[in-house]
Amino acid sequence: YSGGKQPNPTYSRMYDHTESLFIEYDPTIISYRHLLLQWTKHAYVYAKHNKNKPQYRNAIFYLNNNNNHNNNQQKQIAEEFVSEMRIKAGQKNKQVYVDIEQATKFYKAEPYHQSYHEKQEATKPPQCCCIM
């Protein structure tokens, strides 16, 4: 969970946090832009989220580490990417809802939420996923 101010969120007490993934990647193998492109294949970016329940909103969180140029670069790439999405959506009379924010503390979900796809694979096909 990330994006909120209340400490120690849980699935049953999400507060103002959003369900999130923390992705560590090697930019010499995969680009940040490619990760964003993969994300858009699995996120419904046209759905306006309920401000009172941000759990499922579309958000891109970036780290703010002044010693790391990549973080500022990631923010810029995300802003350009979402801007391009909005232009394309506008041509179809649609609107894109994606928040781009500085990451707050990341809280790992409860153990029963870990390896979700592997646990679900045997019982039913995944409803939404982004496996890279």
Side-chain angles (χ1 to χ4, degrees):
Y1 314 110
S2 189
K5 296 178 182 171
Q6 293 289 330
N8 304 313
T10 64
Y11 186 74
S12 61
R13 289 208 168 102
M14 191 73 58
Y15 304 114
D16 54 346
H17 289 270
T18 301
E19 290 187 11
S20 308
L21 297 173
F22 186 92
I23 300 174
E24 294 182 86
Y25 71 101
D26 182 342
T28 64
I29 297 173
I30 188 169
S31 71
Y32 184 65
R33 183 174 176 81
H34 188 77
L35 289 173
L36 293 174
L37 179 61
Q38 293 303 312
W39 171 72
T40 60
K41 292 179 180 179
H42 304 282
Y44 189 70
V45 297
Y46 305 115
K48 188 172 184 178
H49 69 273
N50 181 341
K51 296 275 184 197
N52 296 322
K53 190 171 182 181
Q55 177 178 0
Y56 300 120
R57 71 187 173 122
N58 290 307
I60 299 170
F61 298 109
Y62 62 90
L63 298 175
N64 187 19
N65 179 347
N66 294 330
N67 297 327
N68 187 343
H69 174 70
N70 286 336
N71 296 332
N72 293 330
Q73 187 178 24
Q74 287 178 0
K75 179 184 177 188
Q76 181 180 353
I77 291 169
E79 289 172 342
E80 290 170 1
F81 189 83
V82 170
S83 178
E84 292 169 14
M85 287 174 54
R86 288 187 171 129
I87 290 169
K88 290 177 185 176
Q91 294 169 348
K92 300 175 185 175
N93 293 322
K94 292 185 178 183
Q95 192 168 354
V96 170
Y97 298 95
V98 177
D99 298 327
I100 301 171
E101 301 175 2
Q102 179 179 332
T104 59
K105 182 176 179 178
F106 180 80
Y107 295 90
K108 194 171 183 179
E110 296 79 8
Y112 64 91
H113 284 288
Q114 302 302 316
S115 303
Y116 175 81
H117 295 290
E118 289 82 2
K119 292 175 185 174
Q120 297 299 313
E121 192 174 80
T123 60
K124 60 183 175 182
Q127 295 175 358
C128 64
C129 65
C130 187
I131 301 172
M132 293 179 258

